[in-house]
């Protein structure tokens, strides 16, 4: 399996992977592929990684710029998606490991909204002062690369569909 940057011809395969993977999540809005398309159209993807196996895109990870409160320089990971037929093969873990390594080079830290049981293994955790609207605090997680403790509202690109301050 190869983890690489997205190329233009991957867009349709990425939409398929994201759509199929998100169908399994009860909290899915069904708009995740459109979110990626909008981030791409707005040139807002700081990372757009695909997992390729045998010439087929089997996984995907997006990251975009975010801030926490007034602190800029955070990378927001999401969505992360793996074809359901390929779950349990380490594809999501490989994408996360690569993303964290790349984000370390230029970000204060990484943040995401997701399952603490899954993302905790990569060092993500909830912080008392970190929030995102009315999302339960345990799902709003960060991995500071500098040992800081993030405080404030997680502010991300408008593609995610939440009304937030700019």
């Amino acid at each position: 399996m190869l983890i690489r940057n997205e190329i233009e011809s991957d867009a349709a395969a990425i939409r398929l992977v994201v759509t199929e993977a998100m169908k399994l999540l009860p909290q899915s809005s069904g708009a995740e592929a459109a979110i990626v398309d909008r981030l791409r159209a707005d040139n807002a993807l700081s990372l757009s990684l695909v997992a390729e196996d045998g010439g087929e895109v089997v996984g995907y990870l997006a990251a975009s710029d975010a801030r926490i409160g007034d602190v800029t320089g955070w990378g927001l990971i999401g969505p992360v998606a793996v074809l359901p037929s390929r779950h349990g093969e380490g594809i999501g873990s490989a994408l996360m490991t690569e993303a964290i390594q790349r984000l370390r080079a230029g970000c204060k830290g990484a943040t995401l909204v997701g399952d603490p049981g899954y993302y905790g293994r990569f060092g993500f955790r909830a912080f008392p002062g970190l929030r995102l609207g009315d999302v339960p605090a345990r799902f709003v997680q960060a991995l500071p690369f500098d040992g800081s403790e993030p405080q404030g509202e997680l502010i991300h690109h408008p593609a995610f569909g939440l009304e937030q301050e700019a």
Side-chain angles (χ1 to χ4, degrees), residues 5-165:
N5 291 324
E6 167 189 354
I7 57 175
E8 191 173 328
S9 61
D10 291 329
I14 289 168
R15 274 192 291 287
L16 174 70
V17 168
V18 171
T19 299
E20 292 303 310
M22 295 301 149
K23 285 179 182 177
L24 301 178
L25 300 177
Q27 71 273 21
S28 173
S29 68
E32 291 83 4
I35 291 168
V36 173
D37 288 342
R38 177 154 178 216
L39 289 168
R40 186 183 298 113
D42 289 354
N43 200 29
L45 288 166
S46 52
L47 287 179
S48 188
L49 301 176
V50 297
E52 180 184 307
D53 189 26
E56 177 188 15
V57 174
V58 296
Y60 178 71
L61 181 145
S64 52
D65 292 341
R67 75 175 202 263
I68 297 175
D70 292 331
V71 180
T72 60
W74 287 85
L76 174 70
I77 295 176
V80 179
V82 175
L83 282 176
S85 63
R86 302 296 300 267
H87 282 189
E89 297 180 24
I91 296 167
S93 293
L95 284 163
M96 283 298 297
T97 300
E98 182 69 18
I100 291 166
Q101 179 182 345
R102 291 186 187 200
L103 290 172
R104 274 188 193 279
C107 291
K108 181 174 198 58
T111 186
L112 53 77
V113 177
D115 176 9
Y118 180 79
Y119 294 105
R121 72 175 102 171
F122 302 102
F124 285 88
R125 66 182 182 93
F127 288 84
L130 179 61
R131 63 191 181 284
L132 175 59
D134 56 3
V135 174
R138 71 183 180 278
F139 297 114
V140 184
Q141 301 170 65
L143 174 60
F145 299 145
D146 63 359
S148 66
E149 195 157 311
Q151 300 268 332
E153 180 84 5
L154 173 58
I155 306 294
H156 49 69
H157 192 277
F160 289 93
L162 294 179
E163 294 297 320
Q164 294 184 302
E165 64 178 86

